[in-house]
Amino acid sequence: VNSHTEKVLSGVSFAEHIPPIYGVKVRLKVEKKPKEIIQQPEKKEIEFTYKEGYIEFKVPDVKIHTVIEVMEK
């Protein structure tokens, strides 16, 4: 989840602008090498490496939120 400082106006807080973040590195322990990794809802396939029970990949961008789907073989 991407967050940014909030403004308060008349007792209501809101975010005027949330800038995207890029190149988020992820390392995740898994039982076996996955078939693929997909960023949702964009349906972008993400390249990854698998070594000794861990997958590593970069999430290209997170605008406000994103889901990473690790697909089993």
Side-chain angles (χ1 to χ4, degrees):
V1 175
N2 187 3
S3 63
H4 191 66
T5 58
E6 296 180 349
K7 292 185 177 185
V8 177
L9 181 63
S10 301
V12 177
S13 64
F14 65 94
E16 190 172 73
H17 173 70
I18 300 175
I21 54 177
Y22 300 96
V24 179
K25 294 179 183 180
V26 178
R27 184 172 192 251
L28 183 65
K29 186 173 178 71
V30 294
E31 291 183 21
K32 58 185 177 180
K33 183 178 180 179
K35 175 183 173 185
E36 61 185 346
I37 298 177
I38 306 292
Q39 182 179 5
Q40 300 288 6
E42 296 88 344
K43 295 185 169 101
K44 286 188 207 170
E45 188 170 345
I46 295 178
E47 292 184 21
F48 67 94
T49 59
Y50 174 81
K51 185 176 180 182
E52 298 175 1
Y54 287 88
I55 54 174
E56 292 184 2
F57 57 92
K58 280 187 185 179
V59 180
D61 58 354
V62 178
K63 293 175 179 70
I64 293 176
H65 69 276
T66 195
V67 173
I68 303 301
E69 186 175 9
V70 179
M71 306 292 290
E72 294 182 351
K73 286 188 174 183

